[in-house]
Amino acid sequence: MLTPIDFIKNFAYARNTSLDNFFYDTSKLNFIEKLMIQQSNINEGGVIVVSPTAHNEPLSFYRNIQEFKNSNDYEKIEAVSVSGVGSSGLGAAALARNVANAYSTKVAAVVSGYGVSDVVSEALGGWFFFGGTERLLHQVKNTARLFPSLKPEIVSEDAIAESAIKSAKFIPDEQTLYQLVENPPPKLKIFVGHSKGCLLLNFALNNSTHTKNIKNEKLPTVVTFGAVIDIPEIYKRVFQFVGDCDLLGQVNSIMVDKKTVLKNSSHWLNTQIPLAVNAEEVLTSYVKL
């Protein structure tokens, strides 16, 4: 028999995952996996390691980036995914399952939120902080190209980046993702982001000293769904997808030329709903590893 506390917890979980069930293909997770996510109490900045459906392996949960780095999974994963606005562990795992099925490999899913309970703050944070920083960096780059004679201290990406990193150190999901970019797992081949997750990813890529100092090392492929972002030019394999009916994605985007517009598609990846982006099909059709 459920106690009042159990009832409240179950009600809160159902409420917090309602967005995930709408935006993500949670049907790709079985009942046991969904129960494991619910019982894990995984929070923002945590990592869920997800295997392909066919492998029939249990999910693994890590409360923070340090726990993940100390695990055997860190040495094995080939992909990192980060989901969008307000996404709880359920949405994070669902996106990771899409990527895992597409490439038959383990995926580390960065949990970027708690569900609908913080969707407003998550949305505002994604837009005003990460989106704002991204747009500022984009304008700085354009200004530097147009006026190459300006002094570096006047048009300085490094100054903006340093200030932004100091601000982001208190944000758990960004810190986890930043560490995965700064010290990538040895077998990492691809980053995949969706919605606000793309802004988090872009922030980490643009502010990583690893990215700035790297020379001839092969960098991971970068894929975005639902937000077109300004990825550093050193990343040569970049694939950005936005639906022609995706108004939210267009608002969150810097409209660079290198994007693929998906016909009759909106912002969600839930294939049970019309106008969905089928992430597995898009990845296998457009992005070969």
Side-chain angles (χ1 to χ4, degrees), residues 136-158 160 233:
L136 184 56
L137 282 170
H138 185 69
Q139 291 302 320
V140 166
K141 290 177 183 179
N142 288 340
T143 302
R145 293 190 189 104
L146 291 171
F147 304 101
S149 60
L150 285 178
K151 295 180 180 180
E153 59 268 25
I154 297 176
V155 187
S156 174
E157 292 181 50
D158 290 337
I160 296 171
E233 294 179 359

Side-chain angles (χ1 to χ4, degrees), residues 36-252:
M36 288 177 66
I37 294 168
Q38 180 178 359
Q39 294 178 342
S40 72
N41 293 318
I42 194 77
N43 287 329
E44 183 179 11
V47 174
I48 306 173
V49 174
V50 181
S51 298
T53 302
H55 290 191
N56 197 30
E57 296 180 15
L59 305 176
S60 298
F61 300 89
Y62 303 97
R63 291 175 297 174
N64 52 55
I65 184 60
Q66 198 55 51
E67 276 193 9
F68 178 53
K69 283 185 173 182
N70 292 336
S71 72
N72 292 330
D73 281 327
Y74 183 78
E75 304 294 325
K76 298 176 183 177
I77 66 109
E78 297 183 359
V80 169
S81 64
V82 56
S83 47
V85 172
S87 175
S88 70
L90 184 63
L95 175 59
R97 175 56 54 78
N98 288 150
V99 180
N101 285 346
Y103 298 118
S104 190
T105 190
K106 284 190 171 186
V107 179
V110 177
V111 179
S112 65
Y114 305 100
V116 75
S117 59
D118 70 339
V119 65
V120 175
S121 61
E122 283 284 297
L124 292 177
W127 171 255
F128 287 112
F129 182 75
F130 298 109
T133 301
E134 176 192 349
R135 284 165 174 76
L136 184 56
L137 282 170
H138 185 69
Q139 291 302 320
V140 166
K141 290 177 183 179
N142 288 340
T143 302
R145 293 190 189 104
L146 291 171
F147 304 101
S149 60
L150 285 178
K151 295 180 180 180
E153 59 268 25
I154 297 176
V155 187
S156 174
E157 292 181 50
D158 290 337
I160 296 171
E162 182 180 357
S163 176
I165 290 171
K166 288 179 180 178
S167 300
K169 70 180 180 180
F170 301 108
I171 304 173
D173 50 2
E174 184 54 53
Q175 271 301 296
T176 295
L177 192 56
Y178 179 81
Q179 288 298 323
L180 290 171
V181 172
E182 187 77 355
N183 301 289
K187 294 185 178 181
L188 185 64
K189 295 180 181 178
I190 186 171
F191 288 107
V192 178
H194 172 250
S195 190
K196 192 203 79 170
C198 301
L199 302 180
L200 295 172
L201 180 58
N202 188 72
F203 181 87
L205 294 174
N206 274 288
N207 294 297
S208 167
T209 57
H210 173 75
T211 299
K212 291 178 181 179
N213 295 331
I214 206 165
K215 293 182 179 179
N216 297 320
E217 184 180 341
K218 184 179 179 181
L219 287 166
T221 298
V222 180
V223 178
T224 71
F225 290 100
V228 183
I229 56 178
D230 189 19
I231 296 171
E233 294 179 359
I234 193 170
Y235 285 88
K236 303 303 181 184
R237 284 179 49 82
V238 175
F239 301 84
Q240 305 209 66
F241 302 98
V242 65
D244 59 351
C245 303
D246 185 358
L247 298 179
L248 182 58
Q250 293 173 27
V251 167
N252 277 318

